[in-house]
Amino acid sequence: MKPQHLLARIPVTVRRQSLLIDLVVILCGLAFFFGMIQLGTYWMAQPMPEVLISHSVRALPLYACYSLERMGIAYLLSLIFAVSYGYTAAYNPRAEAWMIAVLDILQSIPVLSFLPPVMLAMMALVPGHQLGIEMGSILLIFTGQVWNLAFSFYSSLKSIPREMIEAARIYRYSAWQRFWQLEMPFAAIGLVWNSIVSVAVGWFFLITCEMFTIRPRNFRLPGLGSYLQSAASADPVDTHALLWGLGVLVLIIVATDQLIWRPLIAWSDKFKFEQTESASRVTSPILALLQRPSALTRLPARAWTACEERIYRRLSKTRDCRVVQPIDDESEKGSKLVPLLLAFFAALAVLWGAVQAYRMLQGVTWPEIRLLLLGAGATYLRVAATLILGALWTIPVGVAIGLNPKLARILQPITQVLASIPATALFPVLMLGLIRLGGGLGIGSIALMLLGTQWYILFNVIAGAMAIPSDLEEVAALYRFSRWQRWTRLILPGIFPYLVTGMITASGGAWNASIIAEYFHIGDKTLQTLGLGAQISAATDSGSFSTLLLATILMATIVVTTNRLVWRRLYRLAETRYKLEG
Amino acid sequence: MQEAAIPSEGQTPASTSDAIIRAEGIEKYYAQPSQNRIQVISATNLSIVPGEIVALLGPSGSGKSTMLRMLSGLSTPTAGQVYWHEKPIANAEINVSIVFQSFALFPWLTVLENVEAPLQARGVSADARRERSLKMLDTVGLDGFEAAYPKELSGGMKQRVGFARALVVEPEVLFMDEPFSALDVLTAENLRSELLELWANKTMPTKAVFLVTHNIEEAVLLADRIIVLGRNPGHIRTDFRVQIPQPRDRKSEPFTQLVDYIYKVLTRPDVAPAAAPGQKTPIRDQRQMHYQMLPHARPGGIAGLLELLIDKGGRDDVYRLADDLAFEIDDLLPIVDAAQLLGFLQIEEGDAVITLTGTEFANSEILRQKELFRVAAVANVLLLRQIRRALESKSDHTVPEDFFLDMLDEQFSEVECQHQIETAVTWGRYAELFDYDAGHRRFVLPDAQDEEIAAAGEDE
């Protein structure tokens, strides 16, 4: 460190083995490059109608690579889309309300309902290659990941403090500078945490999307998901392969957590918008290693700065950088023609879609509709049971962990990893257990849905318990509150906002999980029970698209209505009466 | 005092011809959802000429910050026009900076990067940027802190970075929005004198400084010209030049006289300022005030002020009172206003004089105080009277808050309506006139009286 920087206190560790780090980074880069080439040649190959999924353990690394690459591409697409969408929504007051409403609705539609139409569309788009199926699966994972990222970015943009926006205006920042120096950094923390959730959700759907049937075709993509599924549906069940597959999956998730998420969280501390240093910080040795200035990291930095300079010089001549743009510009910028045309075309598209849907729905008979409604009721009860059961065990455990700081520090990262392991991967194992126990899928599906969603509630309850201020606990101790009093006056109200957040996420997850949990192929049997999720899966399997459409509409309507009537109200209550800071 | 200040004839041709920024008839309205328009600033003319520090002084709610934003081009006036060297400001390439009350530093950039950022926006090359920024940091006294992050700095240092960033672009006009109010007294004093030094030595290429503040002493200390704003709606009450030569001594006679004069102006909002002959004060927009604006003061504060006054013999200069309490004007004026509204004191010539009822109030014990407060509130405050009457006349003795919000809406902005309700609730609860159920957002009668009325009803 140069002498004049002695007064700065940046935590940078100095290590000697710079060569080792550079080698590792180079090796990773080469592996990635080789993987992309391999993937490229495979994609461009002729689509083999029935890809044989090998059960040998030696095929696992390659399959894992494929799955990872799919996840990576889907995540990048989600990030770019979310940022663009959030940006447009935040800065176009006219379009804002619509865009957010659309986001809300799309978020409530179960992802797996999109499976057949997206797949078939992609196959039609790229008929000759395996690429079509790949694109379809990536797109499906994308639809599971993108909504909460978009919401997070949008709400970050809307909560930037006024004076910082004014500073950017008065000093004439270009939109580029404002984006990279104000908006992205401000949104960084939200994006990091939401990315963790998104990738976890992505794994959940990846496992299902890699192998499925749309009569009469069987679609299979080589990857971890199809490996696990085919091992489970083999006759007899290949437990050896199943366990190996699960092991590799858990390994990947733990590695992602340690090598990617923890360093990101530690790095994003830099963007925390607070005026003083906070006491507790997440540390990551990996981050410290990467932050060391080595030859490898300095090169791209220098190239980027040179590029940036040219961009800034070019931008300084634009109007944005020469004239101060008022913030409350009430004059309507630009012509009204473009948005009007867009609205017109959008209306046309919606109309065409509605006509097509109506035609499709005409094929549905009344008994089928009655069955769907019954199924909807059954699944609704199951989701409610899942939430109640989940809350019943996670609240005591979560509070116990959260109120004990030492325990919290050890267990919270573990719960984070547990929440990332996709329940869909564990389903086959659980199904086997269920079959052996002889239980029906009616109750068993609740267990499966619980497995997928209880971690969200636990995670949030722990965070809520940690956030209860210690002076309130001291009051409870001082006045010797009884256990009942302590729970009803301090703990439950204290964790209420976090509990509601957890329940909202769990509810959405439970509806999505019901599609898989209520209808399952194992061995050569098909287990199913009365429920809307089962009906959606069955319709996908048998290719009856009209039933699928109606069932999807029904599920989306129920989710959106519950959201508005129940969760929004609870959330508003949590924000006003139960908020801890004034 | 006549020597210390002379009213500035702001409209003489000589000064406006070289005005850097000139505002002509600017107004600001905010549209309400109920189709009413709340006028925040009434038609105002103002010019900023080179070579002077202008201070805009006024109580909260007078629209000082809005005025600053309109003059700097950040906000478009609803009516009227702002000119930059005689060109409309919306199309002109203006060169101004703002120093913010909350510093507005970017926490993820180092001090150096924060200062370099405006230069980056202007396309200055990396080396030139660095050199200029380092020099400016040296000027404000932060040499050695280039690589520090804002959260490692104290408040005073953060504001120095704010100054460095503002001055590195060599602005023609430097705007400051209450720059020292978030700092402790000593640091603020320090920075004020450094600012004066920079200005006096012409170390800054800035031609004019426009300072918005609510601190009277700060304005008199720094400014060459002081503009006092009134509120409801915001308008200029007086505009005069300060003739005291720099460096100014707080304890000197002309200084204290000028501060006293400004206090007088501020404590009598309904009286036109005395020492401004020949000054064309714009005609105030005197709408028929249906509701008096409740000053944001608590009954405890009023009681405290009255007790202090009795200690001083029933009469004291408002300026000295503020000094004794180490209060800012923003904190003292509402309490004085409230006591005046309730008839507990009167203002005579800048002195606060306690009335008979005020004396009784201050000398009583708490229950009697509540009673006296209740009587005075019902007699003098329309809003409280209405709430009480509405509650008494309804059979279930509750009234939703929205009922009164609707009526207040016509006179006050949305935020101010909420403040008025909050103040009314505080006063009503203290006086045991009524209670407020926050969960259901309704006014209710306090239980004891409720039973009383119920019992009285049963007796019939």
Side-chain angles (χ1 to χ4, degrees):
Chain A
M1 295 213 267
K2 299 190 207 124
Q4 65 203 82
H5 293 269
L6 272 174
L7 289 166
R9 291 178 280 139
I10 311 173
V12 169
T13 54
V14 184
R15 298 258 171 145
R16 289 207 174 271
Q17 302 93 346
S18 71
L19 194 60
L20 182 67
I21 308 303
D22 293 349
L23 274 177
V24 168
V25 172
I26 292 173
L27 279 174
C28 284
L30 278 178
F32 176 71
F33 188 64
F34 174 73
M36 287 309 314
I37 293 187
Q38 182 83 314
L39 198 68
T41 44
Y42 155 69
W43 274 357
M44 286 303 150
Q46 287 296 323
M48 297 184 278
E50 305 262 326
V51 174
L52 270 165
I53 308 286
S54 145
H55 285 187
S56 96
V57 177
R58 233 163 289 173
L60 262 180
L62 190 64
Y63 285 176
C65 260
Y66 284 147
S67 290
L68 273 172
E69 277 164 341
R70 263 172 228 133
M71 282 293 295
I73 297 176
Y75 174 72
L76 274 171
L77 279 176
S78 313
L79 193 63
I80 297 175
F81 180 85
V83 167
S84 329
Y85 197 86
Y87 194 87
T88 327
Y91 285 120
N92 283 308
R94 253 179 280 154
E96 193 176 331
W98 288 110
M99 291 180 86
I100 299 303
V102 164
L103 206 60
D104 206 10
I105 294 177
L106 284 176
Q107 195 179 33
S108 321
I109 300 182
V111 171
L112 290 170
S113 303
F114 285 130
L115 191 64
V118 166
M119 278 303 178
L120 293 175
M122 284 297 138
M123 296 260 310
L125 213 62
V126 191
H129 304 284
Q130 189 75 348
L131 189 57
I133 313 176
E134 287 282 354
M135 278 170 60
S137 73
I138 291 180
L139 203 60
L140 276 166
I141 304 172
F142 167 88
T143 45
Q145 291 184 323
V146 71
W147 315 124
N148 67 324
L149 284 173
F151 260 127
S152 156
F153 192 70
Y154 166 78
S155 60
S156 297
L157 282 184
K158 296 240 96 177
S159 40
I160 299 182
R162 188 138 220 261
E163 291 203 338
M164 296 188 62
I165 303 181
E166 287 174 353
R169 291 278 170 154
I170 201 79
Y171 293 121
R172 299 189 239 141
Y173 283 20
S174 53
W176 172 266
Q177 188 173 11
R178 204 175 61 229
F179 182 74
W180 287 110
Q181 286 193 4
L182 177 62
E183 289 158 356
M184 266 309 251
F186 196 80
I189 295 188
L191 280 180
V192 168
W193 284 102
N194 275 285
S195 296
I196 300 181
V197 172
S198 281
V199 169
V201 169
W203 277 114
F204 188 91
F205 291 118
L206 181 87
I207 307 285
T208 352
C209 293
E210 284 183 343
M211 179 160 141
F212 57 91
T213 315
I214 303 181
R215 286 282 159 78
R217 304 191 44 178
N218 277 322
F219 292 95
R220 290 203 205 117
L221 296 165
L224 263 182
S226 48
Y227 183 88
L228 285 167
Q229 280 199 47
S230 72
S233 54
D235 187 27
V237 175
D238 191 348
T239 33
H240 175 77
L242 203 58
L243 287 172
W244 266 104
L246 271 175
V248 169
L249 183 60
V250 173
L251 189 68
I252 293 180
I253 292 188
V254 172
T256 325
D257 183 69
Q258 288 299 310
L259 295 176
I260 303 185
W261 298 135
R262 308 237 102 222
L264 264 180
I265 296 175
W267 177 67
S268 68
D269 218 33
K270 171 172 158 172
F271 302 113
K272 214 184 256 186
F273 190 75
E274 54 184 24
Q275 302 299 337
T276 50
E277 299 243 27
S278 68
S280 64
R281 306 174 69 182
V282 174
T283 52
S284 165
I286 311 279
L287 183 66
L289 278 175
L290 285 173
Q291 271 182 334
R292 251 207 83 264
S294 71
L296 208 67
T297 56
R298 224 179 283 148
L299 224 72
R302 213 177 287 167
W304 174 246
T305 347
C307 231
E308 247 198 341
E309 288 302 307
R310 226 167 285 154
I311 298 179
Y312 278 114
R313 213 167 307 150
R314 182 80 51 89
L315 283 170
S316 67
K317 306 206 180 73
T318 64
R319 188 188 158 82
D320 249 0
C321 287
R322 302 222 308 277
V323 174
V324 171
Q325 304 287 350
I327 291 182
D328 56 359
D329 203 351
E330 274 141 27
S331 67
E332 321 244 298
K333 276 190 288 210
S335 69
K336 288 215 185 107
L337 188 63
V338 171
L340 224 74
L341 270 178
L342 275 174
F344 179 65
F345 281 122
L348 269 183
V350 168
L351 206 65
W352 178 82
V355 166
Q356 294 291 346
Y358 182 67
R359 241 185 260 157
M360 213 192 253
L361 285 177
Q362 282 186 323
V364 185
T365 60
W366 269 112
E368 278 180 351
I369 297 183
R370 230 175 301 140
L371 203 61
L372 280 176
L373 286 172
L374 270 175
T379 312
Y380 189 83
L381 287 171
R382 278 195 204 105
V383 170
T386 312
L387 288 179
I388 295 174
L389 284 173
L392 269 176
W393 84 262
T394 53
I395 292 183
V397 174
V399 167
I401 298 178
L403 290 180
N404 184 338
K406 249 179 276 176
L407 214 58
R409 217 180 320 140
I410 306 173
L411 285 179
Q412 202 191 21
I414 297 184
T415 31
Q416 207 176 305
V417 174
L418 278 176
S420 306
I421 299 179
T424 33
L426 300 169
F427 274 9
V429 180
L430 276 155
M431 283 294 186
L432 287 172
L434 261 174
I435 294 175
R436 223 159 280 173
L437 281 171
L441 208 53
I443 307 291
S445 59
I446 299 185
L448 292 167
M449 280 156 59
L450 200 59
L451 189 68
T453 58
Q454 63 197 355
W455 307 116
Y456 293 125
I457 313 181
L458 181 64
F459 195 61
N460 275 288
V461 169
I462 295 182
M466 281 169 75
I468 297 181
S470 51
D471 38 8
L472 291 182
E473 289 182 59
E474 284 170 12
V475 168
L478 195 65
Y479 293 112
R480 282 186 247 244
F481 277 19
S482 67
R483 181 168 295 197
W484 174 252
Q485 262 182 313
R486 198 157 165 263
W487 273 88
T488 52
R489 299 279 167 191
L490 173 69
I491 296 180
L492 285 177
I495 60 172
F496 187 71
Y498 293 85
L499 187 61
V500 170
T501 315
M503 296 285 246
I504 295 179
T505 325
S507 158
W511 279 101
N512 263 305
S514 72
I515 299 182
I516 313 170
E518 293 176 349
Y519 183 93
F520 211 79
H521 292 292
I522 192 151
D524 65 345
K525 286 188 282 215
T526 307
L527 298 169
Q528 66 172 329
T529 176
L530 173 66
L532 197 53
Q535 282 155 344
I536 291 183
S537 297
T540 312
D541 255 8
S542 63
S544 49
F545 293 135
S546 42
T547 328
L548 178 63
L549 181 63
L550 191 58
T552 310
I553 294 178
L554 198 54
M555 192 180 266
T557 319
I558 297 179
V559 175
V560 172
T561 326
T562 333
N563 252 348
R564 294 284 150 93
L565 290 180
V566 179
W567 298 124
R568 283 278 167 84
R569 296 244 175 95
L570 281 178
Y571 202 73
R572 212 172 304 151
L573 191 65
E575 288 274 288
T576 48
R577 188 160 162 200
Y578 292 101
K579 197 160 180 207
L580 271 172
E581 328 94 52
Chain B
M1 200 234 18
Q2 257 63 19
E3 305 92 57
I6 52 168
S8 67
E9 294 117 8
Q11 308 309 322
T12 55
S15 49
T16 50
S17 60
D18 51 331
I20 307 178
I21 295 182
R22 186 170 66 85
E24 196 174 272
I26 53 173
E27 288 177 47
K28 191 74 178 169
Y29 286 92
Y30 283 123
Q32 294 283 78
S34 60
Q35 291 307 332
N36 282 338
R37 288 200 307 172
I38 301 290
Q39 190 182 41
V40 174
I41 295 185
S42 63
T44 308
N45 297 327
L46 202 122
S47 19
I48 302 178
V49 298
E52 59 180 22
I53 302 183
V54 183
L56 191 65
L57 195 57
S60 61
S62 49
K64 328 189 272 288
S65 296
T66 318
M67 191 82 85
L68 182 145
R69 275 146 184 86
M70 284 201 282
L71 290 172
S72 58
L74 273 182
S75 176
T76 335
T78 329
Q81 183 69 269
V82 180
Y83 296 99
W84 170 268
H85 290 296
E86 298 313 312
K87 278 205 293 251
I89 202 168
N91 303 322
E93 289 184 23
I94 70 176
N95 192 2
V96 302
S97 293
I98 303 185
V99 177
F100 293 94
Q101 183 179 16
S102 66
F103 325 126
L105 296 181
F106 289 35
W108 41 81
L109 298 177
T110 61
V111 162
L112 188 64
E113 285 168 356
N114 263 294
V115 176
E116 279 185 351
L119 292 176
Q120 211 175 16
R122 279 152 219 242
V124 178
S125 77
D127 295 317
R129 277 207 308 261
R130 200 184 153 80
E131 201 196 305
R132 278 167 73 170
S133 310
L134 285 175
K135 210 164 79 155
M136 193 47 72
L137 281 174
D138 197 18
T139 315
V140 299
L142 282 177
D143 190 23
F145 286 92
E146 300 90 36
Y149 281 93
K151 53 172 140 197
E152 302 167 30
L153 304 176
S154 69
M157 288 157 82
K158 279 194 257 212
Q159 194 59 296
R160 282 176 205 265
V161 180
F163 269 105
R165 180 177 63 177
L167 295 173
V168 82
V169 294
E170 296 176 0
E172 253 187 87
V173 181
L174 176 68
F175 287 94
M176 301 201 278
D177 189 1
E178 306 200 28
F180 308 117
S181 59
L183 305 172
D184 63 273
V185 174
L186 287 176
T187 319
E189 265 309 302
N190 221 2
L191 284 182
R192 270 186 221 123
S193 42
E194 285 188 30
L195 176 68
L196 280 177
E197 247 181 67
L198 287 175
W199 175 253
N201 301 338
K202 310 257 187 277
T203 324
M204 338 194 273
T206 312
K207 299 211 190 104
V209 175
F210 189 85
L211 166 71
V212 164
T213 179
H214 60 245
N215 184 340
I216 299 185
E217 284 200 7
E218 179 174 291
V220 176
L221 201 66
L222 294 175
D224 300 317
R225 184 170 141 217
I226 297 184
I227 303 175
V228 180
L229 284 189
R231 60 176 177 197
N232 270 339
H235 63 285
I236 296 184
R237 298 191 55 212
T238 174
D239 177 353
F240 55 86
R241 196 149 263 137
V242 180
Q243 296 289 77
I244 311 173
Q246 290 279 7
R248 296 177 188 159
D249 181 11
R250 277 173 202 265
K251 307 290 181 198
S252 74
E253 184 87 13
F255 193 101
T256 52
Q257 275 185 346
L258 189 52
V259 174
D260 210 17
Y261 164 69
I262 299 177
Y263 263 106
K264 260 192 239 174
V265 166
L266 283 169
T267 48
R268 296 308 297 275
D270 42 330
V271 167
Q279 164 86 17
K280 286 206 188 75
T281 330
I283 301 183
R284 265 197 47 200
D285 185 12
Q286 279 279 32
R287 281 168 299 164
Q288 280 299 54
M289 294 288 229
H290 196 208
Y291 287 108
Q292 316 99 320
M293 184 159 149
L294 283 181
H296 303 314
R298 291 171 176 273
I302 301 171
L305 175 68
L306 293 171
E307 284 170 25
L308 187 62
L309 260 186
I310 289 200
D311 248 0
K312 305 273 180 171
R315 179 187 195 112
D316 198 7
D317 183 50
V318 175
Y319 162 53
R320 211 166 301 139
L321 263 179
D323 212 23
D324 282 341
L325 295 167
F327 265 24
E328 300 279 2
I329 188 148
D330 247 2
D331 300 327
L332 184 64
L333 273 189
I335 307 180
V336 172
D337 279 349
Q340 209 179 1
L341 177 65
L342 293 168
F344 290 152
L345 65 73
Q346 282 169 336
I347 298 284
E348 289 169 17
E349 301 275 315
D351 281 358
V353 183
I354 197 168
T355 60
L356 279 170
T357 31
T359 321
E360 205 191 332
F361 181 80
N363 284 330
S364 320
E365 44 84 39
I366 190 141
L367 285 176
R368 178 91 180 117
Q369 270 188 345
K370 285 196 182 214
E371 214 187 292
L372 288 167
F373 192 93
R374 179 162 59 234
V375 168
V378 169
N380 294 306
V381 184
L382 178 64
L383 181 60
L384 295 176
R385 202 159 57 230
Q386 282 189 337
I387 298 177
R388 176 77 189 186
R389 292 246 184 89
L391 285 171
E392 281 173 357
S393 59
K394 271 196 82 181
S395 53
D396 61 351
H397 300 304
T398 70
V399 177
E401 156 192 87
D402 278 343
F403 183 70
F404 294 100
L405 270 178
D406 270 346
M407 295 200 274
L408 289 169
D409 220 3
E410 287 170 32
Q411 272 179 242
F412 303 110
S413 68
E414 202 180 313
V415 174
E416 187 56 45
C417 282
Q418 286 296 335
H419 282 328
Q420 291 292 297
I421 293 277
E422 274 164 27
T423 313
V425 166
T426 314
W427 288 21
R429 279 182 172 151
Y430 175 81
E432 293 177 14
L433 274 172
F434 52 80
D435 204 345
Y436 178 69
D437 181 356
H440 298 106
R441 307 192 83 87
R442 303 178 78 86
F443 292 103
V444 296
L445 270 186
D447 289 16
Q449 274 142 317
D450 208 67
E451 286 166 19
E452 242 183 287
I453 294 180
E458 274 172 27
D459 284 340
E460 286 167 20

